[in-house]
């Protein structure tokens, strides 16, 4: 048996599918493939053929939420440290924390509302 026949039998996927597209369709496939972050045309076409769709999630808002969480945590730690050292806490510090948490909750609610729209 030749080496090419042996390779064919060792492959997990050995059935070859073929179809033609025009230039516009090819460009659209390549763009959607890039948007999905897939570099293998075969993997993308298999995924789309089996599932029929892909979801491209923009995580910009989630990154902002994580940044807000870090800032709030840092501020809370600084206030706790100062309170332990001086045995007092400033009203302005509490108000600053409250405003940051309000901003944090607004961002979280915006993300949740966006996720709820995905069907």
């Amino acid at each position: 048996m030749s080496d090419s026949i042996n390779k064919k039998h060792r492959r997990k996927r050995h059935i070859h599918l073929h179809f033609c597209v025009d230039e516009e369709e090819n460009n659209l496939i390549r763009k959607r493939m890039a948007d999905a972050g897939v570099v293998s045309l075969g993997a993308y076409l298999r995924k789309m053929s089996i599932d029929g769709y892909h979801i491209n999630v923009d995580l910009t808002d989630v990154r902002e939420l994580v940044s807000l969480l870090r800032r709030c945590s840092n501020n809370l730690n600084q206030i706790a440290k100062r309170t332990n050292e001086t045995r007092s806490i400033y009203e302005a510090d509490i108000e600053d924390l409250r405003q940051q948490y309000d901003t944090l909750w607004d961002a979280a609610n915006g993300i949740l509302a966006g996720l709820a729209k995905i069907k």
Side-chain angles (χ1 to χ4, degrees):
M1 230 192 276
S2 74
D3 193 38
S4 64
I5 294 174
N6 285 335
K7 283 182 183 178
K8 182 177 179 179
H9 290 290
R10 288 189 305 236
R11 286 183 176 180
K12 179 179 178 183
R13 295 178 182 98
H14 59 276
I15 299 170
H16 181 85
L17 298 178
H18 178 82
F19 64 95
C20 295
V21 296
D22 63 23
E23 190 170 334
E24 183 180 334
E25 292 168 330
N26 183 52
N27 291 337
L28 186 56
I29 290 169
R30 300 290 178 163
K31 181 187 180 316
R32 288 186 178 174
M33 191 174 108
D35 290 346
V38 179
V39 294
S40 167
L41 180 61
Y44 179 75
L45 293 176
R46 269 192 306 278
K47 179 76 171 154
M48 292 304 294
S49 296
I50 293 168
D51 294 341
Y53 62 92
H54 78 269
I55 297 174
N56 190 19
V57 180
D58 179 9
L59 298 177
T60 305
D61 293 336
V62 174
R63 287 187 196 100
E64 177 64 22
L65 184 63
V66 169
S67 176
L68 288 170
L69 279 169
R70 282 190 187 118
R71 281 187 254 156
C72 285
S73 295
N74 287 340
N75 288 344
L76 183 59
N77 286 337
Q78 290 171 2
I79 290 170
K81 183 178 176 183
R82 186 170 47 221
T83 301
N84 286 331
E85 290 171 352
T86 64
R87 299 288 182 220
S88 66
I89 189 165
Y90 298 106
E91 190 174 327
D93 291 336
I94 299 296
E95 179 60 23
D96 182 50
L97 269 179
R98 190 193 60 73
Q99 288 176 1
Q100 287 183 22
Y101 277 110
D102 286 346
T103 303
L104 185 63
W105 277 110
D106 289 344
N109 285 331
I111 291 169
L112 292 174
L115 290 173
K117 292 178 184 176
I118 297 174
K119 301 215 184 229

